[in-house]
């Protein structure tokens, strides 16, 4: 079913005849180029939502303005629609879909089953040779790291067959204790096969079983007075335990892919941990392009569907996410149809899985910070902001102010500074606000600006090119009055205020000179830069406020944490010795205190690390 191409798209006529069955819709522009591919349980309801008269995001409005034709394909079920959608996205790569770079092939570790003394090797490509394939690994680096460990622990050869067949004496790998030299008969076939079996168990995550077997052999060697072999096995066991404790995040078992997700200022960061045999064997960061507004749940749904339903990626029994997905059941069914086994998508987990989940989320947030702070990103956004404000000279320095308090108590103003390289944290400042009516944000902003710019006027620092105020016309008006009273005319002022929905992407800007308001497209680099500096000012203000409030109350930080009474405070301090040691402890260490549950430990850690 399709709508004929014309200058405008007649949505009313198209929707009147649209089916309510499941299916896939494809939107095209005036040049008949694909814009967007989507799936729906009810095509008519879903497509109609794009043409509502109100409540649409800026990016959705932009998409709709380009639509000249919509083509739909009916399917028997929503699961079938999901699979078709992912195939079309992969084939056509529409600009308004979240696009995930497709890795053409994944690396494996391969052990041949046809050689007398098989080698352990890096493998990428078709699996034609007979033998065991371990993987896929998230990157070639993860394979090489594992191969290096196998050499150290089990001394299995990794040389090419041509090199192996032409040896007359041991090579350097044997001399540095990385190979048992089967090429010249320094180890028999049975012993080599045993080492190879242990290496395979290690790759399968069965570390404990390997250690138990080696410990038994060590005892037998000692009883047989073969102390040289016993010492060799002892060293091997020690190395294995060290690897298990230091090289990997260890768990009690299981296989899962674990994802963290962070979204801010138009940038997405998704971090994946790949867990096999209870061990994290690798990780990978993804930064898919966000072309339409979407919640974290919607972004993750689109990402997970593409990640597993296109290509030949290994799908583990469990997929762990930081939040619930509305269409988790649908994706599970599609994965079940693809693998012919049960796949679970989970978000509420405990124990080792909760630890992996926290690690993935921490990595995603950290990578998002790095992405936002990258010089290239900052430079592009500064140019976009300069053009928006029609400034003759480049923006070299920006300052942003925000206010934080608890019902007027311990009011603190923050000033954060960005230059051409991003956040300039050495120039950040806190201002403790005094002598105003509690909760009067206008007076607090005026006092902070007067104190800051009086100093700058005296030459105690650099004046910014642009002053950003977190607020609307009232706050911006206060800033203009302060600068006017200090006769500072070279600083341009702009306010960024949340819209009625108070969601990112719906902010409006206030021009300090004219008082006019404007709304930027949600994908605007200028808007993303203003969001970034606004959020940083907000974070820094909250940090200063909490520190000041704690000093004014003269109370332990633990007293502000719900669920922590006198008994639990005493137990925590008894276990760790000081507040500082509690702050340095991990969630798992805090949970070791007898009166602290895992959930409460997470709450304590979060309250003591508000910036994390």
């Amino acid at each position: 079913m399709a709508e004929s191409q014309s200058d405008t798209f007649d949505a009313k006529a198209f929707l009147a005849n649209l089916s309510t069955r499941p299916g896939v819709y494809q939107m095209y522009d005036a040049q008949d180029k694909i814009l967007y591919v989507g799936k729906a349980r009810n095509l008519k309801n879903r497509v109609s939502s794009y043409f509502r008269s109100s409540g649409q995001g800026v990016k959705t409005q932009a998409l709709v303005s380009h639509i000249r034709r919509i083509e739909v394909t009916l399917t028997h079920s929503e699961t079938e629609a999901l699979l078709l959608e992912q195939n079309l996205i992969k084939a056509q790569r529409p600009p308004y879909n979240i696009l995930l770079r497709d890795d053409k092939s994944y690396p494996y570790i391969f052990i041949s089953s046809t050689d007398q003394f098989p080698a352990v090797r890096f493998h990428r490509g078709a699996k034609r040779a007979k033998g065991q394939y371990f993987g896929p690994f998230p990157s070639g680096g993860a394979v090489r790291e594992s191969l290096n460990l196998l050499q150290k622990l089990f001394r299995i050869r990794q040389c090419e067959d041509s090199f192996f067949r032409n040896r007359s004496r041991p090579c350097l790998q044997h001399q540095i204790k990385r190979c048992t030299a089967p090429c010249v008969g320094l180890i028999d076939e049975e012993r080599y096969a045993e080492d190879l079996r242990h290496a395979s168990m290690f790759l399968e995550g069965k570390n404990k079983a390997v250690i138990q077997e080696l410990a038994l052999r060590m005892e037998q060697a000692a009883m047989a007075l073969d102390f040289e072999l016993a010492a060799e096995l002892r060293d091997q066991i020690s190395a294995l335990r060290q690897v298990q404790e230091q090289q990997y995040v260890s768990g009690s078992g299981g296989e899962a892919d674990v994802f963290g997700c962070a979204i801010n200022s138009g940038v997405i960061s998704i971090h994946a941990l790949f867990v096999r045999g209870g061990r994290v064997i690798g990780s990978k960061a993804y930064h898919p392009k966000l072309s339409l507004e979407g919640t974290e749940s919607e972004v993750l749904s689109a990402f997970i569907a593409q990640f597993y339903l296109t290509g030949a990626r290994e799908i583990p029994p469990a997929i762990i996410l930081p939040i619930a997905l509305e269409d988790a059941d649908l994706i599970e069914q599609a994965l079940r149809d693809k693998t012919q086994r049960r796949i679970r998508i989970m978000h509420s987990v405990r124990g080792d899985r909760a630890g992996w989940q926290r690690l993935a989320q921490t990595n995603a947030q950290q990578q998002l910070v790095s992405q936002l702070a990258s010089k290239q990103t900052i430079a592009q956004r500064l140019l976009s902001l300069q053009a928006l404000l029609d400034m003759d000279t480049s923006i070299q320095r920006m300052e942003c102010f925000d206010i934080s308090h608890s019902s007027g108590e311990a009011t603190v103003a923050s000033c954060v500074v960005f230059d051409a390289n991003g956040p300039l944290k050495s120039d950040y400042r806190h201002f403790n606000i005094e002598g105003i009516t509690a909760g009067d944000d206008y007076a607090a902003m005026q006092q902070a600006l007067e104190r800051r710019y009086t100093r700058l006027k005296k030459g105690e620092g650099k004046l910014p090119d642009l002053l950003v105020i977190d607020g609307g016309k009232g706050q911006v008006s206060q800033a203009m009055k302060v600068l006017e009273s200090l006769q500072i005319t070279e600083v341009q002022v702009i306010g960024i205020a949340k819209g009625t929905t108070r969601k990112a992407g719906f902010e409006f800007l206030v021009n300090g000179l004219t008082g006019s308001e404007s709304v930027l497209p949600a994908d605007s680099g200028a808007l993303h830069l203003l969001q970034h500096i606004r959020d940083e000012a907000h974070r820094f203000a909250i940090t200063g406020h909490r520190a000041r409030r704690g000093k004014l109350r003269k109370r332990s930080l633990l007293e502000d944490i719900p669920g922590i009474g006198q008994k639990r405070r005493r137990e925590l301090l008894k276990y760790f010795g000081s507040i500082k040691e509690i702050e340095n402890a991990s969630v798992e260490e805090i949970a070791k205190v007898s009166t602290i549950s895992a959930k409460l430990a997470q709450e304590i850690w979060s309250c003591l690390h508000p910036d994390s």
Side-chain angles (χ1 to χ4, degrees):
M1 181 188 301
E3 175 72 15
S4 61
Q5 186 172 310
S6 63
D7 292 339
T8 59
F9 178 66
D10 189 349
K12 186 175 181 180
F14 177 77
L15 294 170
N17 299 304
L18 189 57
S19 171
T20 57
R21 287 178 53 183
V24 170
Y25 55 93
Q26 301 173 73
M27 297 173 170
Y28 295 85
D29 65 10
Q31 286 73 44
D32 213 33
K33 293 181 179 178
I34 187 73
L35 291 170
Y36 185 75
V37 175
K39 59 104 176 87
R41 178 181 302 170
N42 182 315
L43 277 168
K44 187 165 189 172
N45 288 349
R46 181 69 185 98
V47 178
S48 296
S49 69
Y50 288 93
F51 299 97
R52 291 195 302 258
S53 58
S54 61
Q56 299 288 19
V58 177
K59 291 183 181 180
T60 303
Q61 293 175 25
L63 167 63
V64 172
S65 69
H66 288 94
I67 295 173
R68 295 296 179 271
R69 180 170 71 91
I70 297 179
E71 186 176 297
V72 301
T73 303
L74 303 182
T75 58
H76 294 100
S77 66
E78 191 181 6
T79 302
E80 188 177 322
L82 174 64
L83 294 171
L84 176 57
E85 176 199 35
Q86 296 309 316
N87 289 333
L88 290 172
I89 290 173
K90 183 178 181 181
Q92 301 180 16
R93 302 193 65 78
Y96 280 88
N97 284 90
I98 288 178
L99 298 179
L100 174 65
R101 183 178 65 84
D102 182 32
D103 293 319
K104 299 303 179 185
S105 63
Y106 303 95
Y108 289 78
I109 288 177
F110 171 65
I111 300 177
S112 170
S113 61
T114 59
D115 298 329
Q116 183 181 11
F117 294 100
V120 178
R121 294 202 183 96
F122 182 105
H123 176 84
R124 192 191 293 271
K127 302 175 186 176
R128 296 191 181 93
K130 293 182 179 180
Q132 289 180 287
Y133 292 87
F134 299 92
F137 286 78
S139 66
V143 174
R144 284 183 278 272
E145 181 182 350
S146 296
L147 289 173
N148 188 39
L149 283 173
L150 290 175
Q151 274 193 319
K152 288 181 181 179
L153 296 171
F154 305 106
R155 300 171 67 184
I156 304 297
R157 79 175 183 94
Q158 296 182 16
C159 57
E160 295 297 326
D161 291 339
S162 57
F163 182 85
F164 176 78
R165 286 193 295 265
N166 293 299
R167 295 302 300 176
S168 58
R169 59 181 181 177
C171 67
L172 180 62
Q173 293 297 319
H174 175 71
Q175 296 177 36
I176 63 174
K177 298 186 182 299
R178 295 294 186 92
C179 180
T180 50
C183 54
V184 292
L186 295 188
I187 184 173
D188 60 42
E189 188 175 349
E190 183 179 352
R191 174 71 187 280
Y192 187 86
E194 186 72 2
D195 290 341
L196 193 65
R197 186 174 67 84
H198 286 151
S200 298
M201 291 173 66
F202 175 82
L203 288 170
E204 293 168 352
K206 301 175 181 177
N207 297 27
K208 292 182 180 178
V210 176
I211 291 173
Q212 289 172 356
E213 286 192 20
L214 293 176
L216 179 61
R217 283 183 56 195
M218 181 180 68
E219 292 177 8
Q220 292 172 345
M223 292 177 62
L225 305 182
D226 189 348
F227 299 116
E228 184 176 349
L229 176 59
E232 184 180 325
L233 291 167
R234 177 203 60 203
D235 294 341
Q236 193 175 11
I237 292 169
S238 177
L240 262 172
R241 282 184 173 146
Q242 187 176 5
V243 166
Q244 182 172 327
E245 292 170 4
Q246 297 181 4
Q247 296 286 346
Y248 296 99
V249 177
S250 298
S252 56
E255 296 192 352
D257 286 352
V258 189
F259 295 88
C261 179
I263 305 175
N264 193 7
S265 302
V267 176
I268 309 173
S269 175
I270 295 177
H271 190 86
L273 296 179
F274 304 97
V275 181
R276 299 296 181 266
R279 189 179 75 233
V280 177
I281 65 168
S283 64
K284 192 166 185 178
Y286 300 88
H287 298 282
K289 183 181 177 183
L290 180 62
S291 296
L292 287 175
E293 296 95 349
T295 63
E296 190 175 342
S297 175
E298 291 169 342
V299 168
L300 270 175
S301 289
F303 176 86
I304 293 298
Q306 276 197 62
F307 194 77
Y308 290 110
L309 295 176
T310 59
R313 190 182 300 274
E314 181 189 21
I315 304 175
I319 298 169
I320 301 172
L321 305 176
I323 58 171
L325 302 185
E326 291 183 6
D327 56 355
D329 292 343
L330 171 65
I331 298 176
E332 281 185 353
Q333 180 61 50
L335 295 176
R336 188 179 300 121
D337 292 345
K338 182 175 181 177
T339 62
Q340 299 302 308
R341 55 187 173 84
R342 187 185 181 193
I343 307 295
R344 295 187 62 198
I345 297 177
M346 299 176 285
H347 72 281
S348 181
V349 291
R350 294 184 292 180
D352 293 324
R353 290 180 169 184
W356 297 330
Q357 188 182 59
R358 285 192 298 271
L359 183 61
Q361 188 63 23
T362 299
N363 275 282
Q365 291 166 348
Q366 184 60 46
Q367 285 152 7
L368 179 66
V369 171
S370 299
Q371 185 83 351
L372 288 172
S374 71
K375 290 185 179 180
Q376 183 179 8
T377 302
I378 294 293
Q380 291 172 344
R381 292 179 173 182
L382 279 170
L383 287 173
S384 177
L385 183 58
Q386 179 186 337
L388 170 72
L389 301 177
D390 197 23
M391 297 176 68
D392 296 330
T393 57
S394 61
I395 301 173
Q396 299 296 324
R397 186 180 177 93
M398 301 167 58
E399 292 189 354
C400 184
F401 284 76
D402 192 20
I403 307 295
S404 180
H405 57 79
S406 296
S407 301
E409 179 191 6
T411 302
V412 171
S414 69
C415 170
V416 302
V417 181
F418 277 31
D419 64 8
N421 296 317
L424 186 62
K425 295 194 175 183
S426 61
D427 285 9
Y428 284 16
R429 294 292 183 270
H430 281 131
F431 298 92
N432 291 334
I433 305 301
E434 305 285 359
I436 66 168
T437 303
D440 188 346
D441 286 356
Y442 288 168
M445 182 65 74
Q446 179 182 350
Q447 184 179 133
L449 291 168
E450 286 177 345
R451 289 166 60 182
R452 174 67 170 174
Y453 286 96
T454 298
R455 294 174 186 172
L456 296 185
K457 183 72 173 177
K458 292 178 180 178
E460 295 182 18
K462 296 179 181 178
L463 281 169
D465 302 300
L466 180 65
L467 169 60
V468 181
I469 301 297
D470 182 8
K473 286 186 175 180
Q475 299 281 28
V476 172
S477 177
Q478 291 291 338
M480 295 300 294
K481 289 178 182 178
V482 170
L483 295 183
E484 184 179 354
S485 67
L486 294 173
Q487 298 181 2
I488 297 175
T489 59
E490 60 269 44
V491 178
Q492 191 157 339
V493 180
I494 192 169
I496 177 170
K498 291 183 172 66
T500 54
T501 63
R502 303 192 66 79
K503 291 182 179 180
F506 293 90
E507 295 91 344
F508 63 89
L509 307 184
V510 181
N511 188 302
L513 286 176
T514 65
S516 62
E517 297 179 357
S518 59
V519 177
L520 296 183
D523 59 352
S524 164
L527 176 61
H528 294 162
L529 179 58
L530 292 173
Q531 289 172 333
H532 189 186
I533 194 171
R534 185 270 315 275
D535 292 345
E536 183 67 356
H538 184 63
R539 178 199 67 79
F540 195 57
I542 290 176
T543 301
H545 162 64
R546 286 176 174 169
R548 187 185 184 200
R549 185 183 63 186
K551 289 180 181 178
L552 291 175
R553 292 180 178 179
K554 295 181 180 179
R555 298 169 63 192
S556 165
L557 291 173
L558 297 176
E559 294 186 46
D560 291 329
I561 302 175
I564 301 298
Q566 184 177 358
K567 180 179 179 181
R568 283 180 170 143
R569 287 200 302 273
R570 185 169 61 248
E571 289 296 321
L572 281 164
L573 291 170
K574 181 179 177 182
Y575 187 90
F576 289 100
S578 68
I579 290 288
K580 185 175 181 180
E581 290 301 316
I582 300 173
E583 290 178 338
N584 292 335
S586 66
V587 175
E588 290 75 14
E589 289 172 325
I590 295 173
K592 291 179 181 178
V593 178
S594 59
T595 57
I596 305 297
S597 66
K599 183 177 180 181
L600 185 55
Q602 179 64 54
E603 179 70 21
I604 294 170
W605 190 92
S606 298
C607 290
L608 294 177
H609 301 81
D611 298 337
S612 300

